[in-house]
Amino acid sequence: MITSAKTRSSTSGPRPTGNPRGDGRKPASPRTTRKRGGLTGYAFVTPLLVVFTLFYLWPAVQSLISSFFTWGLLRPWNVFDRSTWHFAGISNYQRTLSDPDFWHAGANSLLWLILFPALVTGISLVGAVAIWHTRRWSVLYRTVFVLPMTISLAAAGVIWSFVYNPDAHIGVLNAVLNALHLQGELNWGPLHLKTGQWLADAGALDLGFGQIHLVNVFVIVAAAWAFAGYGVITFSAGLSSLPQELVDSARVDGCGTLQMVRHVIVPHLRQPMRIVFVVSVIFALRTFDIVYVMTSGGPGTDSTVLGLLPWQQAFAYLTSPQAGQAAAVAVLMSAALIALGFPYLKSMLPRKESR
């Protein structure tokens, strides 16, 4: 009995701390494991960093540096060729900030920043709620709102150019107004609308301290039509996580459709609405293609926006030496985008819990 007890105690004691595989190698220390994991992470991230540096970071730095020089397309600026260096200092920024065209384009971009996110958010919310509420016609609604998102904004501009065409045999909008006998000038207080020439002499809204050229509004409507699909997809994804118990409780309490939207759906979609609004603001500030296709900034400079202004200064005239000033406009736009996007990016970061 004594011998068997000793045998059991010796066999049930602590196991040896050697390599469990029995191949003679010692197990890796936690420090070595962390080091190998860090090297593996760097190996995966390095290709992305190389692509980001070559195609994003370096062009951005080059644009920033070139904004302090005078150059044009026929005499391009090259960071590696000192003969192309015609240092201008901050004069490009001074000319930009004192240029009336810059502030006029800034006012048009401000209109985009206000009206475009509001239209995209409103149209997308209505479309997403219609898809969620009407199960029978959900496929049709989803197709109507999402299909324009599959084409480029330049193609959307071409389509809406036909809609706004002044010829009633081609322009859909003018054909409808002719059928309703609504052609002519409409003066409703500060609003002066000239039907027919939607992308030319469309009238203006008099604010007392300035005017809003309505041609900008018609271009914004076309852009919102093409961009609303993004918001519909985002809101539909948010509505898919809406608890059915909450909806049933609201219906039992007697909530109608509008009350359901106001008190249940909109509070639930607060985070998706923030995403759609911020993305729309960023797009509105950098918009270029649809404005160029539909109006090219005209008539005159009535629809010129900040995204179109650098192209007009740098590329419209080959002999123009204002490419440095165009780079200054691009730098100022980038600074505005960072300032507008920073609060959103900061809100997306995980917050430290206070002890």
Side-chain angles (χ1 to χ4, degrees), residues 116-268:
F116 180 77
L119 282 177
V120 169
T121 304
I123 296 173
S124 301
L125 183 60
V126 171
V129 172
I131 293 172
W132 172 81
H133 182 71
T134 310
R135 304 293 183 183
R136 183 176 180 181
W137 301 99
S138 61
V139 176
L140 176 62
Y141 291 152
R142 189 179 295 110
T143 303
V144 169
F145 285 101
V146 177
L147 188 60
M149 189 180 173
T150 61
I151 63 176
S152 65
L153 287 173
V158 173
I159 294 173
W160 277 85
S161 295
F162 283 106
V163 174
Y164 291 139
N165 194 292
D167 188 354
H169 298 285
I170 300 176
V172 178
L173 186 55
N174 283 334
V176 173
L177 292 179
N178 279 338
L180 298 176
H181 303 287
L182 294 177
Q183 286 283 21
E185 295 187 10
L186 301 176
N187 296 314
W188 297 331
L191 178 63
H192 307 283
L193 175 63
K194 299 178 181 179
T195 61
Q197 301 292 331
W198 305 104
L199 299 180
D201 189 11
L205 177 63
D206 192 359
L207 300 178
F209 58 87
Q211 289 185 341
I212 295 177
H213 298 283
L214 296 182
V215 61
N216 292 289
V217 177
F218 299 129
V219 177
I220 292 173
V221 169
W225 172 82
F227 198 76
Y230 169 77
V232 170
I233 293 175
T234 306
F235 290 150
S236 297
L239 287 174
S240 64
S241 63
L242 180 63
Q244 187 62 34
E245 297 82 2
L246 184 61
V247 177
D248 295 337
S249 300
R251 288 174 178 171
V252 170
D253 291 338
C255 283
T257 303
L258 294 179
Q259 291 177 329
M260 180 77 70
V261 173
R262 179 181 177 184
H263 299 289
V264 178
I265 294 179
V266 171
H268 181 75

Side-chain angles (χ1 to χ4, degrees), residues 62-116:
Q62 191 174 12
S63 298
L64 176 61
I65 299 175
S66 67
S67 65
F68 296 99
F69 293 86
T70 301
W71 57 284
L73 288 181
L74 295 182
R75 292 188 304 171
W77 178 82
N78 189 347
V79 66
F80 301 109
D81 187 1
R82 294 184 61 89
S83 63
T84 62
W85 292 10
H86 303 283
F87 187 69
I90 62 173
S91 61
N92 288 328
Y93 292 92
Q94 291 175 342
R95 284 196 299 269
T96 297
L97 295 176
S98 61
D99 187 3
D101 290 340
F102 172 78
W103 294 107
H104 183 72
N108 292 336
S109 295
L110 180 61
L111 179 63
W112 274 78
L113 290 175
I114 296 173
L115 188 57
F116 180 77

